[in-house]
Structure formats: C-alpha cells, structure tokens
Amino acid sequence: MNIADIGFAAVARAARALAFGGPVPLFASLELTLKCNGSCLFCGSRDAAGVAGRELSTAEFNAIIDDLAASGCVAVSLTGGEPLLRTDVEALACRARGHGMAVGLNTNGRLLERRRSILAYLSSITVSLDGVEETNDRIRGRGAYAAAVSAIRTARHGGVPVNVTTVLSEPAIADLDAFLQLAGDLDLEVMFQPQYGSMLRSHRAVVMDRPSPQAVDEAFTKIAASRARGLRVRNSDAGMRLLSDSFSGRPLSIRCPGGRFFVRVGAGGSVGVCGLDNDPCARTEACDTAGSGLSMLSNLDARDGIRYAMRRIGWPFECGGCLSAARADLCAMAAFRDARGK
C-alpha cells in the first residue's frame, strides 16, 4: 500500500479515533465477491460462491466505505474472489479514494487491461504469480501466467505501483530457484505466502499436497538470501519467521492486532479478522465478550456499524499462529512487543 496516497483528512480522522480509544479499523480488506475466473488448486472461492448468500449491493458497500472512513480507516484493499468481476469496482474504488484512503486491488490480472479505468483510483495492485509459466499455470490454470505478466505491465504503464503474491505450495517451492531468477529479471516486488491448511474461503481440505515444514523453512532461507542479493521481498525477516513457525505448528501465542487495528468485511457483509482458520470470529466462544449473543462470524455484520462489530470481537485474543503474509508483519510486531512485556 502506498502510504503517500493517504490524504490528510484520513490521517486526521484516524488520529481522532485513536485518541478516543477502542478499536479503529486503520486497515480494511473488502471481499467484494467470491466469484472468480481463475482455477487455483488451493482456493475454494468459486465453490463457496455457489453456496453463498446474496453479495452486498453497490449502495451497501458504499455505506460501509463511508463508515470505514468515518471510523478512522486510512487504507482499504479490494479483494475476492476476483474483484474485477464486479461491474461497480471502479465506483467503489473511487468512493474510497474520495475519502482520502489509499486503495489497493488484489487480482489475478485476467481482466485488468479491460478494466484499466480503475487505475485512476488505485494506490497499488497486487497480482497473483506462483512461478515461471509452466509451474504457475499448473497451479493457477491455463493462461494465468500470461494474464499476470500482462497485468503487471498494464499497472506499470498506468503509473500504479504493482507487486505480486506468491503462494509457497509444493510445486512452487520445487521450482523456486527459477522463479527467484524471474522475479529479479522482471524487477518484481514479491510477498511470499505459505499455502493454507484448507481451501481458501471454503475451509475444505486442499486438493494438492502441502509442502513439508522443512521445505517451507528452506524456501524462506532461499528467499532471504535472494533479498540480500537485491530481490525486492515485501516480507520482513520477523514476518517470515512467524509464517514459518506457524506453518510448522510450533507452539505460539500471539496477541493478534486484528479486530483492533485491521478488519475484514466479507462479500455478504460479515466482519472478521482474516477469514482464515484461526480467525477468532469463526470460533463460537471468541466473539461474545460483550454479552451480545453474537457468537459466530456470520452474525457480525458491517451494516450494523464497523466499530460496533469490532467491539464485539474478543480483543485482545490469543492466536496460535499466523499464515497470512499480508498480516504477519503486524502480528510479529505484536509478538515482539509482548515478549518485551510492553
């Protein structure tokens, strides 16, 4: 996220909200849709879309964006599924940008050239890319590599900073050396994400083998060495250690800053922390600290008010590990602070 794109008014609102205490959604992820035009082997978003309820309308997402702005949000990330499948994605990005928030887009890249008008409202773009062409398309579907590279060029030509997210699956790790060379040749800024334990968005068992903890450890060692040689890696050292420890199942106890400073809104309006298996709002005992009776993630609704919902997330809560690369750096900072007794 390009911090320079955050407007003064957004910073002022955030400072005011922080001064009054309580949860402040400084960073928000908006899952605009579960629909997707990709076919990634480790993702269940398309399956989930088939059984999910109604997705929020343009007016409902506009109201949530307005509420986020008033609540102190400085940056939003538009995700999916594939967010560019929504016909109103440009209008939603414009709405958030109009509030002075930095706006990021997570995409597989297949539609970016066709929807390039959205570039005017974006602070950054994150494209999914897991390896050289043969490896990437084996994981993400035919044509995925060409679409990702095309999207990277489109973003660069439009003057929007672009980075990639790479999932460390077994085939991606097997071909990691070739990808690290490719990333350097294309001058890519990369965030590395270990494969989740279940299908993303559906929580079903994955249909492809996960790498071993040792393989993930060795992959991060290679990545750190490549960064020392000049590769642009978005993960911090602490974040990579946390991801590796979490993937291996090593005993961890982290006071996650999620629900306090960042929040996720699902396509149907549900409010949570990360949407992964460790999300406290997916556990029936975790989201009822205010005696509200709101004990499941689906019952915390952004349309009832963002901060109202966030106050009902049990915080601080103990998390047994973080597998979200986008959030791991913040979680690692929280773990370091707790270790120092602060």
Side-chain angles (χ1 to χ4, degrees):
M1 193 67 68
N2 191 349
I3 301 300
D5 276 352
I6 299 173
F8 176 79
V11 173
R13 288 192 300 266
R16 184 167 59 249
L18 289 167
F20 281 101
V24 179
L26 295 175
F27 309 101
S29 174
L30 301 183
E31 178 189 76
L32 300 185
T33 182
L34 287 168
K35 299 181 181 71
C36 189
N37 55 353
S39 54
C40 303
L41 294 177
F42 44 70
C43 183
S45 187
R46 291 201 305 180
D47 291 341
V51 298
R54 181 183 69 85
E55 294 181 347
L56 296 184
S57 67
T58 304
E60 288 170 318
F61 264 124
N62 276 338
I64 289 169
I65 290 169
D66 293 346
D67 186 20
L68 282 167
S71 299
C73 185
V74 298
V76 296
S77 179
L78 307 180
T79 72
E82 174 49 56
L84 291 176
L85 286 172
R86 279 191 67 122
T87 59
D88 60 357
V89 65
E90 292 92 348
L92 297 176
C94 178
R95 185 81 167 207
R97 195 73 194 95
H99 285 296
M101 293 187 280
V103 182
L105 176 75
N106 286 22
T107 179
N108 59 31
R110 293 178 184 267
L111 296 175
L112 187 60
E113 175 60 32
R114 202 178 311 169
R115 307 292 298 275
R116 62 181 299 124
S117 61
I118 196 174
L119 298 176
Y121 311 112
L122 296 180
S123 307
S124 65
I125 296 176
T126 299
V127 178
S128 303
L129 184 64
D130 286 356
V132 296
E133 185 166 10
E134 180 182 357
T135 302
N136 185 78
D137 286 6
R138 180 152 51 99
I139 299 167
R140 293 189 176 271
R142 192 173 195 176
Y145 177 87
V149 172
S150 174
I152 290 166
R153 290 175 178 147
T154 297
R156 286 175 170 172
H157 290 165
V160 179
V162 61
N163 57 79
V164 303
T165 293
T166 299
V167 175
L168 294 174
S169 61
E170 190 171 67
I173 289 177
D175 207 22
L176 183 59
D177 289 336
F179 176 70
L180 293 174
Q181 180 65 49
L182 173 72
D185 291 345
L186 296 180
D187 191 28
L188 300 178
E189 184 179 17
V190 190
M191 176 167 281
F192 293 90
Q193 163 73 62
Q195 181 184 330
Y196 299 130
S198 60
M199 295 281 278
L200 184 64
R201 302 290 180 259
S202 74
H203 302 288
R204 293 189 296 104
V206 292
V207 297
M208 62 186 295
D209 292 335
R210 294 179 85 205
S212 68
Q214 180 181 354
V216 171
D217 284 345
E218 292 173 353
F220 277 125
T221 298
K222 281 186 180 180
I223 292 163
S226 293
R227 176 167 57 192
R229 293 192 295 269
L231 182 67
R232 296 197 294 151
V233 178
R234 298 187 69 206
N235 310 71
S236 70
D237 288 337
M240 286 193 287
R241 284 194 299 271
L242 176 57
L243 290 169
S244 186
D245 287 345
S246 300
F247 186 89
S248 70
R250 298 181 184 110
L252 296 170
S253 182
I254 305 164
R255 290 172 49 140
C256 179
R260 178 74 173 184
F261 300 119
F262 61 80
V263 68
R264 174 184 174 274
V265 178
S270 60
V271 175
V273 171
C274 61
L276 304 180
D277 292 342
N278 278 354
D279 192 320
C281 292
R283 302 196 298 264
T284 57
E285 75 278 7
C287 286
D288 195 21
T289 58
S292 63
L294 301 177
S295 60
M296 290 295 287
L297 175 63
S298 60
N299 288 329
L300 290 173
D301 198 304
R303 289 166 291 186
D304 295 328
I306 289 291
R307 297 188 78 182
Y308 174 85
M310 290 177 70
R311 283 194 291 269
R312 278 149 183 79
I313 296 175
W315 193 91
F317 59 84
E318 299 296 319
C319 181
C322 182
L323 282 179
S324 171
R327 300 170 176 88
D329 286 353
L330 286 172
C331 291
M333 290 171 58
F336 176 74
R337 178 204 61 200
D338 293 343
R340 291 172 58 92
K342 295 183 180 179

